[in-house]
């Protein structure tokens, strides 16, 4: 579920929610990622990740990772607004409840939004997949791409324009619905 997000991570990346650290270890290894700013609410998760960093100094010797302990709704407004991230990845939810994710995006917009060219979130692929299944027999691939793009942008903002196409093209190639 992280593949599109790993591929899109370039330049300066913001990550909200450290999780098990898999996503971070993948993007830190990319030469085209300059920095990774992480906002994590749970201090125990940060401590566990710091142990991973300490146990694998070769992978983290490039000093790309900066961890902020706090809640993303409180910490994002504190970030320097003159600095724009190339990509932001949000992974703070325990399940893929799109109503909750959409409502959290509204909260983020209320506090000034995320200053990023592109934003992705954990579960986005399931959102795209669900819409793919719904539209696959009603319209062609190009029209489907536009419908899903419109729904993603309506629910989560214009920064979502990029994300639908790679996932849908993959579903079409796999012919998931048949």
């Amino acid at each position: 579920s992280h593949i599109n997000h790993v591929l899109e991570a370039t330049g300066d990346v913001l990550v909200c929610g450290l999780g098990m650290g898999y996503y971070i270890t993948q993007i830190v290894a990319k030469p085209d990622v300059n920095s990774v700013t992480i906002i994590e609410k749970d201090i125990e998760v940060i401590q566990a990740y710091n142990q991973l960093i300490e146990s694998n100094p070769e992978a983290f010797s490039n000093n790309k990772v900066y961890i902020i302990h706090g809640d993303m709704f409180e910490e994002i407004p504190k970030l320097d607004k003159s600095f724009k991230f190339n990509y932001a990845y949000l992974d703070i939810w325990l399940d893929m409840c799109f109503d909750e994710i959409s409502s959290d995006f509204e909260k983020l917009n209320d506090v000034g939004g995320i200053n990023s060219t592109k934003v992705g979130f954990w579960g986005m692929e399931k959102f795209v997949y669900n819409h793919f299944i719904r539209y696959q027999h009603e319209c062609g691939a190009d029209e489907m791409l536009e419908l899903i793009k419109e729904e993603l942008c309506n629910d989560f903002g214009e920064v979502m324009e990029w994300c639908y196409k790679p996932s849908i093209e993959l579903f079409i190639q796999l012919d998931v619905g048949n």
Side-chain angles (χ1 to χ4, degrees):
S1 68
H2 291 304
I3 190 64
N4 283 337
H5 307 290
V6 170
L7 295 173
E8 288 297 323
T10 60
D12 300 302
V13 180
L14 172 66
V15 178
C16 297
L18 186 51
M20 296 182 71
Y22 172 80
Y23 179 70
I24 306 301
T25 57
Q26 297 304 301
I27 65 172
V28 166
K30 292 179 66 174
D32 58 345
V33 169
N34 301 327
S35 70
V36 181
T37 301
I38 303 163
I39 299 174
E40 173 56 53
K41 191 174 175 177
D42 188 334
I43 192 65
E44 291 176 1
V45 172
I46 294 172
Q47 290 168 343
Y49 198 71
N50 283 336
Q51 288 178 353
L52 174 67
I53 291 171
E54 290 167 11
S55 69
N56 193 356
E58 306 83 38
F60 297 97
S61 63
N62 54 26
N63 298 318
K64 292 181 184 181
V65 176
Y66 175 67
I67 301 175
I68 299 169
H69 175 231
D71 184 278
M72 79 172 186
F73 299 107
E74 296 169 9
E75 297 302 324
I76 285 176
K78 296 177 188 176
L79 296 174
D80 180 358
K81 292 300 178 196
S82 67
F83 182 82
K84 187 168 191 159
F85 292 97
N86 300 88
Y87 190 68
Y89 179 59
L90 284 62
D91 184 4
I92 64 164
W93 302 280
L94 296 177
D95 60 30
M96 293 180 202
C97 176
F98 297 114
D99 290 340
E100 181 182 356
I101 294 170
S102 182
S103 129
D104 284 348
F105 268 83
E106 285 179 29
K107 285 187 223 173
L108 284 171
N109 288 332
D110 290 345
V111 297
I114 299 173
N115 196 14
S116 180
T117 306
K118 298 176 182 179
V119 176
F121 60 89
W122 177 76
M124 194 168 67
E125 299 75 17
K126 184 169 172 126
F127 180 93
V128 172
Y129 172 77
N130 289 344
H131 286 72
F132 171 81
I133 294 300
R134 180 173 13 154
Y135 295 130
Q136 72 176 338
H137 299 294
E138 297 174 22
C139 55
D142 290 338
E143 186 181 0
M144 185 185 328
L145 290 171
E146 288 307 311
L147 285 168
I148 295 173
K149 176 179 121 178
E150 185 178 312
E151 288 193 34
L152 274 166
C153 291
N154 285 342
D155 288 353
F156 306 107
E158 292 300 314
V159 293
M160 292 291 163
E161 280 194 23
W162 70 272
C163 67
Y164 68 99
K165 193 169 182 176
S167 295
I168 294 171
E169 288 174 342
L170 177 63
F171 293 141
I172 290 169
Q173 288 174 348
L174 296 174
D175 198 18
V176 170
N178 295 323

